[in-house]
Amino acid sequence: MRAVVVNQWGGPETLTVAELDRPAPGLGEVLVRVHAAGVNPVDWKTRATGGLIEWGAVPAVGWDVSGTVEAVGPGVTVFRPGDEVFGMPLFPRQAGGYAEYVVAPARHLAPKPESLTHVEAAALPLAALTAWQALVDTAGVQPGQRVLVHAAAGGVGHFAVQIAKALGAYVIGTASAGKHDLVRSLGADEVVDYRTVRFEDVVSDVDVVLDGLGGETAERSLKVLRPGGRLIVLPGPDDVPAETGAVRAEWMLVDPDHLGLREIAALVGRGALKPVVEAVLPLAEAAKAHELGEQGRTTGKIVLSVA
Ligand SMILES: NC(=O)c1ccc[n+]([C@@H]2O[C@H](COP(=O)([O-])OP(=O)(O)OC[C@H]3O[C@@H](n4cnc5c(N)ncnc54)[C@H](OP(=O)(O)O)[C@@H]3O)[C@@H](O)[C@H]2O)c1
């Protein structure tokens, strides 16, 4: 099978397409024929340095996939060959999602939302699960609460706006002015142009901040929280500011949980969640997809078309 591998940790040019043996599903595992693979910042961050990921013998990046079950290993009862599935298997261990086939524990996958193409479904797993696990599992957002989503037009942000809205929250997003119409169309009640306005000057009494930027944005976000408020920081544990007053600040790592995927698929099914896909590139152009993503300006998601 064709798979994108990393020759040595470094720039996008270190990604190459290799011929590898097609993996076989073991006990409790599913072999998925990948139709599309989603691209996430963790893909290029780990391509650059290896990061904290547990790699296999041949480093192969990528986690988000949507495809068709090709075969199941012994003991798998929830999927059969031919089922259409999506997920982000094995994270934070190597999955090798930029490939024609991946093997996944059965419970790292869920049925693909029927209304979506494989390209759209591959945009969902890591970014939408992050938003779901931050807002629902971690912060327990309740109807009427005020939620501030930074980088609201990005991969995680555009899902977080929609999920927070579906939970009944009052949603505020930060984005550059050209993206405000999109962020509003996703359900944001207010959008702040972070390039011309300091968000802490115009936003207050927030229950939950979801911060995909870290650094000084995380520090400044503490000022907008009400007592008891929660700041969830995504880039890394070093981005979490020291807590001040009666607020909680923490880093969260996404988990490849099939229950969250099923909740996300249900939201898609009832029209409350829709991925925005900015660019689709062929598998062989994974390096170009990384170059594009690393500019940090992505609206929604970048996806690789595999099949
Ligand atoms: N901990 C975890 O489990 C986890 C999971 C997922 C993601 N992450 C991390 O979370 C971060 C975000 O991921 P992502 O997939 O959402 O990234 P992304 O899609 O690459 O984010 C791009 C977006 O960021 C916006 N942006 C850049 N600077 C901004 C600023 N100062 N204020 C507001 N918006 C700004 C850009 O909008 P403009 O063009 O308008 O600037 C663009 O739309 C990454 O560091 C990623 O590694 C962590």
Side-chain angles (χ1 to χ4, degrees):
M1 67 163 190
R2 288 185 309 139
V4 175
V5 303
V6 189
N7 284 327
Q8 58 177 68
W9 310 125
E13 71 286 352
T14 65
L15 296 177
T16 53
V17 179
E19 278 293 331
L20 302 182
D21 291 338
R22 185 197 292 191
L27 282 171
E29 290 179 338
V30 173
L31 176 67
V32 179
R33 179 161 183 263
V34 179
H35 293 270
V39 176
N40 289 287
V42 69
D43 303 355
W44 58 75
K45 290 181 186 178
T46 57
R47 180 217 69 220
T49 65
L52 300 175
I53 301 298
E54 296 172 38
W55 296 103
V58 181
V61 291
W63 282 272
D64 279 350
V65 293
S66 180
T68 309
V69 173
E70 182 81 7
V72 298
V76 174
T77 55
V78 291
F79 295 114
R80 295 169 176 224
D83 287 349
E84 299 198 306
V85 293
F86 75 128
M88 48 166 294
L90 294 167
F91 187 85
R93 286 175 292 283
Q94 170 168 316
Y98 297 3
E100 289 177 316
Y101 293 90
V102 294
V103 155
R107 279 174 171 73
H108 287 186
L109 300 168
K112 176 181 85 68
E114 282 178 15
S115 61
L116 298 185
T117 63
H118 282 292
V119 163
E120 290 172 320
L124 283 166
L126 195 144
L129 267 182
T130 300
W132 178 269
Q133 290 168 9
L135 297 173
V136 178
D137 299 346
T138 304
V141 169
Q142 298 298 312
Q145 285 193 324
R146 288 166 63 82
V147 174
L148 171 62
V149 178
H150 287 302
V156 174
H158 89 292
F159 289 130
V161 168
Q162 297 177 75
I163 291 170
K165 197 67 199 171
L167 295 169
Y170 182 90
V171 186
I172 307 155
T174 61
S176 57
K179 299 182 176 180
H180 283 201
D181 286 350
L182 170 76
V183 176
R184 276 206 190 83
S185 76
L186 299 173
D189 298 284
E190 283 177 44
V191 193
V192 177
D193 178 1
Y194 71 87
R195 292 188 182 170
T196 57
V197 179
R198 288 178 69 80
F199 64 84
E200 65 271 38
D201 292 344
V202 294
V203 178
S204 59
D205 290 329
V206 169
D207 296 284
V208 179
V209 179
L210 181 56
D211 177 18
L213 298 162
E216 55 127 29
T217 301
E219 297 267 358
R220 289 159 53 206
S221 293
L222 291 174
K223 298 180 191 162
V224 308
L225 286 170
R226 60 168 48 141
R230 305 277 295 258
L231 168 62
I232 300 163
V233 179
L234 296 176
D238 295 342
D239 285 291
V240 178
E243 293 166 2
T244 52
V247 301
R248 198 161 147 191
E250 60 207 316
W251 177 62
M252 186 206 87
L253 183 66
V254 64
D255 179 280
D257 172 28
H258 76 111
L259 294 175
L261 289 174
R262 287 169 189 271
E263 299 278 6
I264 286 160
L267 282 180
V268 171
R270 60 171 221 257
L273 187 69
K274 175 107 178 120
V276 171
V277 178
E278 178 183 294
V280 184
L281 289 95
L283 184 67
E285 292 185 20
K288 197 168 157 193
H290 278 207
E291 275 169 29
L292 191 62
E294 280 183 273
Q295 291 167 18
R297 301 269 83 90
T298 309
T299 301
K301 298 289 301 178
I302 300 169
V303 176
L304 298 173
S305 161
V306 180

